[in-house]
PDB file of all heavy atoms in Angstrom:
ATOM      1  N   GLY A1063     -11.451  14.199  11.254  1.00 97.00           N
ATOM      2  CA  GLY A1063     -12.748  13.747  12.076  1.00 97.00           C
ATOM      3  C   GLY A1063     -12.559  14.100  13.535  1.00 97.00           C
ATOM      4  O   GLY A1063     -13.593  14.562  14.179  1.00 97.00           O
ATOM      5  N   LYS A1064     -11.379  13.925  13.999  1.00 98.00           N
ATOM      6  CA  LYS A1064     -11.219  14.452  15.538  1.00 98.00           C
ATOM      7  C   LYS A1064     -11.421  15.763  15.743  1.00 98.00           C
ATOM      8  O   LYS A1064     -12.090  16.188  16.724  1.00 98.00           O
ATOM      9  CB  LYS A1064      -9.845  13.884  16.027  1.00 98.00           C
ATOM     10  CG  LYS A1064      -9.597  12.389  16.101  1.00 98.00           C
ATOM     11  CD  LYS A1064      -8.257  12.073  16.646  1.00 98.00           C
ATOM     12  CE  LYS A1064      -8.023  10.627  16.778  1.00 98.00           C
ATOM     13  NZ  LYS A1064      -6.750  10.049  17.234  1.00 98.00           N
ATOM     14  N   ALA A1065     -10.943  16.555  14.771  1.00 98.00           N
ATOM     15  CA  ALA A1065     -11.147  18.040  14.843  1.00 98.00           C
ATOM     16  C   ALA A1065     -12.608  18.425  14.796  1.00 98.00           C
ATOM     17  O   ALA A1065     -13.034  19.254  15.595  1.00 98.00           O
ATOM     18  CB  ALA A1065     -10.281  18.664  13.799  1.00 98.00           C
ATOM     19  N   LYS A1066     -13.379  17.727  13.820  1.00 98.00           N
ATOM     20  CA  LYS A1066     -14.794  18.032  13.681  1.00 98.00           C
ATOM     21  C   LYS A1066     -15.542  17.529  15.048  1.00 98.00           C
ATOM     22  O   LYS A1066     -16.336  18.387  15.575  1.00 98.00           O
ATOM     23  CB  LYS A1066     -15.274  17.085  12.653  1.00 98.00           C
ATOM     24  CG  LYS A1066     -15.448  17.985  11.310  1.00 98.00           C
ATOM     25  CD  LYS A1066     -16.263  17.016  10.340  1.00 98.00           C
ATOM     26  CE  LYS A1066     -16.206  17.552   8.894  1.00 98.00           C
ATOM     27  NZ  LYS A1066     -16.948  16.699   7.966  1.00 98.00           N
ATOM     28  N   GLU A1067     -15.136  16.397  15.643  1.00 98.00           N
ATOM     29  CA  GLU A1067     -15.749  15.926  16.756  1.00 98.00           C
ATOM     30  C   GLU A1067     -15.604  16.902  17.971  1.00 98.00           C
ATOM     31  O   GLU A1067     -16.526  17.280  18.618  1.00 98.00           O
ATOM     32  CB  GLU A1067     -15.303  14.612  17.176  1.00 98.00           C
ATOM     33  CG  GLU A1067     -16.001  14.040  18.378  1.00 98.00           C
ATOM     34  CD  GLU A1067     -15.380  12.636  18.804  1.00 98.00           C
ATOM     35  OE1 GLU A1067     -14.388  12.197  18.352  1.00 98.00           O
ATOM     36  OE2 GLU A1067     -16.039  12.026  19.696  1.00 98.00           O
ATOM     37  N   THR A1068     -14.372  17.274  18.115  1.00 98.00           N
ATOM     38  CA  THR A1068     -14.012  18.224  19.247  1.00 98.00           C
ATOM     39  C   THR A1068     -14.576  19.634  18.972  1.00 98.00           C
ATOM     40  O   THR A1068     -15.321  20.130  19.978  1.00 98.00           O
ATOM     41  CB  THR A1068     -12.422  18.426  19.301  1.00 98.00           C
ATOM     42  OG1 THR A1068     -11.925  17.186  19.409  1.00 98.00           O
ATOM     43  CG2 THR A1068     -12.102  19.391  20.397  1.00 98.00           C
ATOM     44  N   THR A1069     -14.679  20.107  17.846  1.00 98.00           N
ATOM     45  CA  THR A1069     -15.421  21.346  17.543  1.00 98.00           C
ATOM     46  C   THR A1069     -16.814  21.219  17.821  1.00 98.00           C
ATOM     47  O   THR A1069     -17.453  22.134  18.583  1.00 98.00           O
ATOM     48  CB  THR A1069     -15.226  21.838  16.022  1.00 98.00           C
ATOM     49  OG1 THR A1069     -13.834  21.985  15.879  1.00 98.00           O
ATOM     50  CG2 THR A1069     -15.831  23.122  15.832  1.00 98.00           C
ATOM     51  N   GLY A1070     -17.413  20.195  17.439  1.00 98.00           N
ATOM     52  CA  GLY A1070     -18.896  19.896  17.641  1.00 98.00           C
ATOM     53  C   GLY A1070     -19.199  19.864  19.100  1.00 98.00           C
ATOM     54  O   GLY A1070     -20.059  20.454  19.675  1.00 98.00           O
ATOM     55  N   ARG A1071     -18.272  19.093  19.818  1.00 98.00           N
ATOM     56  CA  ARG A1071     -18.380  19.037  21.331  1.00 98.00           C
ATOM     57  C   ARG A1071     -18.340  20.383  22.083  1.00 98.00           C
ATOM     58  O   ARG A1071     -19.228  20.751  22.858  1.00 98.00           O
ATOM     59  CB  ARG A1071     -17.510  17.942  21.938  1.00 98.00           C
ATOM     60  CG  ARG A1071     -17.622  17.721  23.449  1.00 98.00           C
ATOM     61  CD  ARG A1071     -16.754  16.711  23.932  1.00 98.00           C
ATOM     62  NE  ARG A1071     -16.561  15.518  23.135  1.00 98.00           N
ATOM     63  CZ  ARG A1071     -15.351  15.226  22.577  1.00 98.00           C
ATOM     64  NH1 ARG A1071     -14.307  15.980  23.037  1.00 98.00           N
ATOM     65  NH2 ARG A1071     -15.071  14.138  21.839  1.00 98.00           N
ATOM     66  N   VAL A1072     -17.368  21.088  21.618  1.00 98.00           N
ATOM     67  CA  VAL A1072     -17.170  22.467  22.360  1.00 98.00           C
ATOM     68  C   VAL A1072     -18.239  23.274  22.065  1.00 98.00           C
ATOM     69  O   VAL A1072     -18.605  24.159  22.914  1.00 98.00           O
ATOM     70  CB  VAL A1072     -15.767  22.966  21.812  1.00 98.00           C
ATOM     71  CG1 VAL A1072     -15.607  24.396  22.348  1.00 98.00           C
ATOM     72  CG2 VAL A1072     -14.639  22.134  22.411  1.00 98.00           C
ATOM     73  N   THR A1073     -18.795  23.433  20.736  1.00 98.00           N
ATOM     74  CA  THR A1073     -19.727  24.326  20.377  1.00 98.00           C
ATOM     75  C   THR A1073     -21.303  23.845  20.754  1.00 98.00           C
ATOM     76  O   THR A1073     -22.265  24.424  20.488  1.00 98.00           O
ATOM     77  CB  THR A1073     -19.679  24.684  18.832  1.00 98.00           C
ATOM     78  OG1 THR A1073     -19.814  23.451  18.150  1.00 98.00           O
ATOM     79  CG2 THR A1073     -18.410  25.290  18.536  1.00 98.00           C
ATOM     80  N   GLY A1074     -21.348  22.497  21.042  1.00 98.00           N
ATOM     81  CA  GLY A1074     -22.631  22.103  21.535  1.00 98.00           C
ATOM     82  C   GLY A1074     -23.353  21.646  20.164  1.00 98.00           C
ATOM     83  O   GLY A1074     -24.540  21.368  20.259  1.00 98.00           O
ATOM     84  N   ASN A1075     -22.581  21.400  19.028  1.00 98.00           N
ATOM     85  CA  ASN A1075     -23.187  20.962  17.742  1.00 98.00           C
ATOM     86  C   ASN A1075     -23.071  19.503  17.679  1.00 98.00           C
ATOM     87  O   ASN A1075     -22.050  18.943  17.196  1.00 98.00           O
ATOM     88  CB  ASN A1075     -22.405  21.750  16.713  1.00 98.00           C
ATOM     89  CG  ASN A1075     -23.066  21.416  15.363  1.00 98.00           C
ATOM     90  OD1 ASN A1075     -23.777  20.480  15.227  1.00 98.00           O
ATOM     91  ND2 ASN A1075     -22.910  22.346  14.484  1.00 98.00           N
ATOM     92  N   GLU A1076     -24.227  18.832  18.058  1.00 98.00           N
ATOM     93  CA  GLU A1076     -24.198  17.332  18.110  1.00 98.00           C
ATOM     94  C   GLU A1076     -23.986  16.726  16.716  1.00 98.00           C
ATOM     95  O   GLU A1076     -23.405  15.662  16.577  1.00 98.00           O
ATOM     96  CB  GLU A1076     -25.470  16.819  18.810  1.00 98.00           C
ATOM     97  CG  GLU A1076     -25.488  17.160  20.392  1.00 98.00           C
ATOM     98  CD  GLU A1076     -26.877  16.770  20.921  1.00 98.00           C
ATOM     99  OE1 GLU A1076     -27.687  16.039  20.247  1.00 98.00           O
ATOM    100  OE2 GLU A1076     -26.994  16.986  22.116  1.00 98.00           O
TER     101      GLU A1076
END
Side-chain angles (χ1 to χ4, degrees):
K1064 286 181 182 181
K1066 265 188 191 178
E1067 180 184 11
T1068 301
T1069 300
R1071 189 178 315 119
V1072 169
T1073 61
N1075 185 334
E1076 292 178 4

